[in-house]
Amino acid sequence: MSTDADLRALDVAWDLDPLIDGRGEAGVDAMLDDVAARVEAVGRFRGRVGELDAAELAECVRELAVLSEILGRVGSYAGLRYTVDVTDAARGALMARVEERSARLANDLLFFDLEWAALTDEHVAPLLVDERLAFCRHHLASSRRYRPHLLTEPEERILIEKGVTGASAWARLFSDLTSTIVVDLPTGPVSLEEGLAQLASPDRDVRRTAAEAVTAGLAPGLRTRAFVFNTLLADKATDDRLRSFPSWISSRNLDNEASDASVQALVDAVTARSDIPQRWYRLKAQLLGLPRLADYDRMASVAADEDEFGWAEARDLVLDAYASFSGELADDARRFFDEAWIDAPVRPGKRPGAFCAYTVPSHHPYLLLNWTSRRRDVLTLAHELGHGLHAYLARDQIVFQQSTPLTLAETASVFGETVTFGRLLERTTDPDARLALLAESLEGQIATVFRQIAMNRFEDAVHTERREVGELSVERFGDLWAATQGDMLGDAVEITEGYRTWWSYIPHFMATPGYVYAYAYGQLLALSVYKRYEEEGDAFVPAYLELLRRGGSDTPEALGAVVGVDLGDPGFWTGGLAIVDAQLAAAEQAARDTGRL
Ligand SMILES: [Zn+2]
């Protein structure tokens, strides 16, 4: 049996002092003074970036990396210390001081990026193939990737200045409008977020009433929000035309370093497997005793899971899961526990949720958790540990190439979580507990993969129609929303009349067009890589570890090639979908075993 201290992981706190060599707040200031002196020294390259040969350029980048490392250590120390007690004014003040000084120092280093980006392709081509710059090649190349889409300097200046009162003002207006939406529940008025949270209620009447109240809450100002959306769609079309982007999604793909072909392959693979969410929602209807789900039933919980895990048991389980895959990885993972790289317990003033802080390559990463001894927490531990191991293995990369683009960021975390999930499932024999475990996983997969791609299809439809036809009416937005949701849900879920306006509160559509597919990309990429491991077994491991060691030192496609996968091939993405399919089959079996069908 676990003790209370073990259940709550009370003794699991991280040690941040090594970040600043154990010198406390005085160390922070000393290190920032050191940076200031070094900034002065690196200033000798200012105005001369275009004259540097490969050796001098390498020297310059290495000096900049040292600066970035020191700033990263100090910033990590102040920031992480703050996250575990955000109510402590002294911690807040230190973080603010570090941020302000760092921003001023970083400003003095901007010259390099600007001068480097301004050089012609002819000038940089021989430098980018020079072996002396191999350690930072991708960083140097990718920092120039927007170049073909840049306008002249005066044009850029006007676009930046007018953007403040253009797109970003419209996006802010949208968020102002949605943040004041009131949902009138029978129990009294609540915010939109609280209204939506009611959709998880086990009571169908509560869910239906909440959904109707959300729809009613979305009605005022709907035409105004549609106008804001139309304006932003047109603004994006103008931007893309001026900058010669071939499609509405191309600029986002460039941000993500994802090729248009790989994104299309992802979309094709996911939309071809709508049977997965549809089968799950049919099973869910049976479990809930309903002939068919309505849109507002999808979040309802089907099975409760009451199992508790002590910290020691969870640690052993996760290390065991990693060891089943690679002894080397498990040894590295053990250091997180043995050397105080994790802060686990829930404490007053600590920031909620979980994350991995990479810090810098010369140090080690840290994990923040809010451990509540639930099964979910075990998977979160495995997930964040995966991020941590990715950062740790990539420690030989220069600081500018340690972390991956967004689209590859979940590779190790989802992989580790999936291995651990398999272990958990293996040792869970009770059908109700199995169903609970599988249900939670499937809900997560559907939310991350299928729902985000359905939203991407909606974005694709509205951006295309705004460009080819013109302004969209509220009705038309509703048609396209219902149609794209319907493609995912089929006849497994009834789309109610009220649901047709539920596109109108989603902030990503306004502030970061095209963003949502990245969730699906990251998740399914990791699952598809995992599928290769399932197929190839131990022979796959060395290439996988090499992929993690490469960090962000290349494009996602080139890094995919390290483990022998082609991101532009829809066949690659179907591998990850097969994993989800297998989980669904196991859930169907567990549901039969519970005798609830
Ligand atoms: Zn993650």
Side-chain angles (χ1 to χ4, degrees):
M1 273 317 288
S2 299
T3 63
D4 181 58
D6 184 47
L7 275 180
R8 293 161 64 197
L10 285 182
D11 303 327
V12 185
W14 58 28
D15 179 10
L16 301 174
D17 288 337
L19 276 168
I20 46 155
D21 305 324
R23 289 182 291 165
E25 282 206 30
V28 168
D29 289 311
M31 285 165 85
L32 288 173
D33 292 342
D34 179 28
V35 172
R38 288 167 184 272
V39 164
E40 200 122 315
V42 92
R44 72 187 183 279
F45 295 110
R46 183 189 297 275
R48 297 182 43 232
V49 174
E51 301 159 21
L52 305 179
D53 65 18
E56 292 166 319
L57 204 51
E59 188 186 328
C60 180
V61 172
R62 283 190 209 280
E63 284 187 35
L64 290 168
V66 170
L67 288 168
S68 180
E69 287 256 354
I70 304 173
L71 287 175
R73 278 172 175 264
V74 177
S76 297
Y77 175 78
L80 294 176
R81 211 163 144 268
Y82 173 73
T83 58
V84 289
D85 189 0
V86 299
T87 60
D88 179 1
R91 292 174 190 233
L94 177 69
M95 186 174 71
R97 198 167 89 226
V98 167
E99 279 175 354
E100 284 160 23
R101 268 194 88 180
S102 299
R104 277 200 302 275
L105 292 164
N107 246 335
D108 287 337
L109 301 173
L110 270 182
F111 74 90
F112 180 82
D113 288 345
L114 296 174
E115 289 182 39
W116 174 250
L119 301 175
T120 64
D121 290 343
E122 294 70 33
H123 181 96
V124 303
L127 292 168
L128 286 176
V129 296
D130 195 294
E131 274 314 299
R132 287 169 291 182
L133 289 165
F135 70 99
C136 60
R137 180 178 296 147
H138 182 65
H139 169 63
L140 290 178
S142 79
S143 67
R144 291 170 55 86
R145 70 188 188 277
Y146 296 100
R147 223 179 119 77
H149 306 285
L150 292 180
L151 307 176
T152 64
E153 207 190 314
E155 288 170 331
E156 287 291 345
R157 204 177 309 138
I158 292 169
L159 284 180
I160 287 168
E161 291 202 26
K162 298 298 279 182
V164 178
T165 46
S168 60
W170 288 104
R172 180 170 147 201
L173 174 63
F174 182 84
S175 92
D176 281 2
L177 291 170
T178 49
S179 63
T180 56
I181 287 172
V182 175
V183 176
D184 269 313
L185 294 177
T187 48
V190 297
S191 70
L192 178 59
E193 196 163 318
E194 290 168 290
L196 291 168
Q198 297 289 310
L199 298 176
S201 167
D203 183 338
R204 192 174 205 211
D205 284 334
V206 170
R207 296 196 299 269
R208 186 193 306 120
T209 308
E212 286 164 4
V214 166
T215 300
L218 291 175
L222 182 57
R223 276 171 50 85
T224 309
R225 296 199 304 284
F227 177 73
V228 171
F229 199 7
N230 267 304
T231 305
L232 284 164
L233 292 171
D235 184 81
K236 178 87 170 70
T238 307
D239 240 29
D240 287 343
R241 176 171 49 78
L242 293 174
R243 297 187 182 282
S244 331
F245 281 110
S247 83
W248 75 274
I249 195 72
S250 298
S251 62
R252 179 65 54 198
N253 294 349
L254 193 66
D255 286 341
N256 292 337
E257 298 189 57
S259 69
D260 291 0
S262 71
V263 175
Q264 192 57 48
L266 164 76
V267 167
D268 290 345
V270 173
T271 51
R273 287 307 309 271
S274 299
D275 63 299
I276 291 176
Q278 292 171 21
R279 261 164 67 206
W280 168 246
Y281 288 130
R282 277 194 204 98
L283 176 64
K284 189 162 185 171
Q286 282 184 285
L287 289 166
L288 293 172
L290 301 171
R292 179 157 83 123
L293 295 190
D295 50 73
Y296 53 77
D297 293 319
R298 283 179 295 161
M299 307 300 286
S301 154
V302 290
D305 173 26
E306 299 305 328
D307 259 14
E308 279 195 327
F309 284 80
W311 177 256
E313 185 187 8
R315 176 198 59 210
D316 292 348
L317 188 116
V318 171
L319 287 176
D320 201 40
Y322 274 98
S324 75
F325 170 72
S326 155
E328 181 192 333
L329 216 50
D331 288 343
D332 292 339
R334 202 177 304 277
R335 299 191 64 181
F336 284 77
F337 296 93
D338 294 347
E339 297 176 36
W341 298 359
I342 307 177
D343 197 85
V346 177
R347 284 191 221 98
K350 182 170 164 179
R351 191 217 104 139
F355 65 79
C356 164
Y358 266 44
T359 75
V360 291
S362 63
H363 196 61
H364 58 74
Y366 289 100
L367 311 183
L368 178 134
L369 306 173
N370 276 280
W371 180 260
T372 59
S373 69
R374 319 309 306 178
R375 197 188 298 274
R376 178 69 249 161
D377 295 321
V378 180
L379 294 171
T380 302
L381 168 62
H383 181 101
E384 298 308 332
L385 191 56
H387 281 302
L389 288 164
H390 202 167
Y392 183 69
L393 287 184
R395 67 189 180 279
D396 290 335
Q397 299 294 335
I398 190 167
V399 61
F400 308 122
Q401 295 187 163
Q402 186 187 21
S403 55
T404 64
L406 190 61
T407 38
L408 274 181
E410 297 301 328
T411 311
S413 56
V414 170
F415 196 104
E417 188 181 341
T418 307
V419 178
T420 305
F421 178 83
R423 287 266 148 158
L424 264 178
L425 190 62
E426 250 171 50
R427 52 174 256 174
T428 309
T429 48
D430 173 57
D432 284 300
R434 279 177 72 84
L435 182 60
L437 186 58
L438 287 157
E440 189 177 332
S441 176
L442 283 164
E443 302 272 10
Q445 310 281 21
I446 289 171
T448 310
V449 176
F450 292 95
R451 202 178 302 155
Q452 303 302 333
I453 292 300
M455 294 210 276
N456 166 274
R457 294 296 80 202
F458 171 69
E459 285 192 286
D460 183 74
V462 298
H463 278 278
T464 306
E465 186 151 321
R466 182 64 187 83
R467 286 165 196 223
E468 291 175 2
V469 183
E471 204 159 284
L472 287 82
S473 64
V474 166
E475 249 325 285
R476 188 63 188 149
F477 279 122
D479 289 345
L480 294 171
W481 177 249
T484 49
Q485 291 287 310
D487 287 341
M488 163 180 60
L489 300 171
D491 59 5
V493 177
E494 178 201 355
I495 296 175
T496 60
E497 185 58 30
Y499 191 65
R500 293 167 59 87
T501 60
W502 286 37
W503 57 269
S504 72
Y505 68 83
I506 298 175
H508 281 325
F509 292 161
M510 312 295 149
T512 40
Y515 185 81
V516 292
Y517 82 76
Y519 294 110
Y521 197 113
Q523 176 82 7
L524 204 56
L525 185 142
L527 288 177
S528 301
V529 168
Y530 183 81
K531 179 69 179 165
R532 298 298 277 254
Y533 165 56
E534 275 195 347
E535 288 163 1
E536 294 170 32
D538 291 345
F540 178 80
V541 175
Y544 178 73
L545 296 182
E546 178 58 23
L547 168 69
L548 301 189
R549 282 188 200 101
R550 297 269 183 105
S553 63
D554 218 327
T555 63
E557 309 217 66
L559 290 169
V562 173
V563 286
V565 303
D566 174 7
L567 304 187
D569 172 11
F572 162 70
W573 300 95
T574 59
L577 292 161
I579 304 259
V580 183
D581 191 303
Q583 284 183 4
L584 178 53
E588 286 163 341
Q589 183 59 50
R592 282 193 291 276
D593 294 343
T594 61
R596 284 172 62 184
L597 298 189

